[in-house]
Amino acid sequence: MTGPTENGAAVAGAAVGAAAGAAVGAADGPAAGTAAGTVADVAGPPGRTAALVLDRASVAYGDVPVLEELHGTVYEGEAVALIGPNGAGKSTLIKALLGLVPVVRGRIEVLGTSPDRARRDVAYVPQADTLDPDFPISVEQVVMMGRYRKIGWLRRPSAADREHAAAALEQVGLAERARHRFGTLSGGQRQRVLLARAIAAQPRLLLLDEPFNGVDAVSQHTILEAMDALKGRGTSVVVSTHDLAIAHLACDEVCLLNRHQFGFGPTDATLTPERLRATYGGHALELRGDRVIVTQT
Amino acid sequence: MILFEPFHLPFMARALAELVILGALAGTVGVLVLLRRLAFVSDALTHTVFPGVVIGYLMAGEGGVFWGALAAGVVTAVLLTLLTHRRRVSEDAALAMLLTTLFAVGVVLVSRQTGYTADLTAFLFGRVLTVTQEQLAQTGVVTILIVVLLAVLRRPLTLRAFDPEGARAAGIRVGLLDLVSNIAVALVVVAAVRAVGTILVIALLIVPAAAARVLSDRIAVIVPLACVMGAAAGWLGLAASYEASVGHGLRLASGGAVVLILVAMYGLAWAAGVARRRVRLDRASGAAGLEALR
Ligand SMILES: Nc1ncnc2c1ncn2[C@@H]1O[C@H](COP(=O)(O)OP(=O)(O)O)[C@@H](O)[C@H]1O
Ligand SMILES: [Mg+2]
């Protein structure tokens, strides 16, 4: 999972360099002295509801602090990209948003309440390659798991449950694979099935952990389209990725992470070469003209 | 007919009922063991239940065996759940040492008895022909309990086995669920200990599920298949051991016969699985060939 070849190089488009000048203090690295960005302190325009509030939050496994002083807000229908090298704490933040890793200082608010209580409206999409490809389960059964919450333990899936599952599978372009065994699909297709499972749950917040890792172009396109469709319905999206181009393409906000927060704010304004270099460590970043290339992830 | 005739004798009928129920139960729970990769839990249990059995026997005679096994099994299930939630435990040398030590304690305690080899064999390999009504009733109760439990928890159990992080994210109490799984495995070992002994029960848990998995990719098929294969192996094994002893003067321990039948079943299932895959491949390439001709 940590092989350098697998993640390859993340390349951001020409917009990065150009946008650097427009960064109006949307975010600060810890080096700047203040603990966190300034965006979150500003209340959103009227009518916008916050889906996610990080309020100087620190997250720890037991005594080991993993993430410190996170600060930012994501509104309903917006997508935020979590960007940072391996071991930065992206997965840990996603688990904290699920209430599975404790917030030791500060506060995390999800859908207006605590992560624990928000969980029934949050869907999580794990990395497909962390799951056992030999497991005896069909694609449609995986998608139906997204409905378990609504079905309960004993009731049989209703017609409505089946419709939701079928529609979700259709949305990721795998309707004709419903009866295939999950493990027989390609990596990208498996990732799409897991996304369909999340869609079937009708979440208000969607959490995707590195959904584009080792995924083919068709799957990447399908996942991006589905993210857009969900955003259109008011679902907020948190997606961790190494791919700066995808952040530009699909996300309204970015959160630059490496144990600390190195920036949080609108994508173009926040993805500056300076912040990226700080996030990834100076040695890991090459600048060529107006392109930013992260060589080590 | 050798498959029916011996079981007119009441003690043989009881032995048959016990082995068929145990085979069905272990086959079913074996699917959980397979999907959750709990083989090391079954292995640990066989080591700890043995001293439990011995201590129960020393304290209260035959009647103490079940309760000694139960206490040891449940304590083991709880400790293993706690341990695995701290770190990976399956390849831990310290744990292996502890388990062997507990097993040795059992052996030492038995060896202080007069006629201990007989007792030792009974505890390790079981004594199915002396199964009593009361034992049968205990096995029945344990079976009903576990089957109801697995039926009620089938969705969270499947999700947890397939995708543990996803299960946590969905609000499932994974720690509690794992405890229930480990206790279910412990109860099977406890129920089986007097009839097939602590050593052979692991085969009952592992082999039918593995054979069923080779034959099908669907849990809804694997569970009944494993259940039927476990039950059938109990029956055939007992019949074979009766026939060998009575018909041919060969002493053939029934527990061992059951396990050998299971392994033979696995071999057949494996061959059938290979054939099944070959047919499927032929069909696929045949279809591809037709496509190419068009
Ligand atoms: N269960 C855990 N217990 C303790 N530390 C952990 C655990 N999981 C991850 N960590 C540590 O937290 C840090 C961040 O990990 P992670 O969130 O997985 O990073 P990323 O997803 O950005 O690659 C790593 O240094 C890792 O060693
Ligand atoms: Mg990660």
Side-chain angles (χ1 to χ4, degrees), chain A residues 25-61:
Chain A
D28 290 302
T34 57
T38 54
V39 180
D41 299 326
V42 187
R48 288 217 297 174
T49 320
L52 202 65
V53 177
L54 306 175
D55 183 10
R56 306 193 61 151
S58 297
V59 170
Y61 286 109

Side-chain angles (χ1 to χ4, degrees), chain A residues 198-236:
Chain A
I199 293 172
Q202 301 172 289
R204 290 172 58 202
L205 174 66
L206 178 67
L207 308 175
L208 300 138
D209 200 353
E210 310 218 12
F212 303 109
N213 260 15
V215 153
D216 58 284
V218 175
S219 293
Q220 177 171 321
H221 180 75
T222 313
I223 295 170
L224 286 172
E225 263 186 353
M227 275 171 59
D228 264 343
L230 285 166
K231 281 168 62 182
R233 277 187 246 149
T235 304
S236 312

Side-chain angles (χ1 to χ4, degrees), chain A residues 95 98 100 119 124 126 131-132 134-137 142 145 148-149 151-157 181-182 197, chain B residues 35 37 151-156 158-159 161-163 165-166 168-172 213 216-219 222:
Chain A
K95 280 176 199 158
L98 286 163
L100 299 177
R119 217 184 271 153
Y124 164 72
L131 302 183
D132 174 12
D134 288 331
F135 201 89
I137 192 164
V142 173
M145 284 176 164
Y148 278 4
R149 257 279 157 72
I151 298 173
W153 287 4
L154 295 175
R155 191 168 67 74
R156 290 169 65 87
R181 188 164 65 77
F182 178 74
R197 176 178 77 172
Chain B
L35 296 181
R37 302 175 191 279
V152 171
L153 293 177
R154 67 190 189 281
R155 281 179 188 142
T158 310
L159 178 51
F162 174 64
D163 176 9
E165 283 307 320
R168 286 193 185 92
I172 290 171
R213 175 69 188 87
S216 174
D217 286 333
R218 297 176 49 205
I219 296 179
I222 294 172

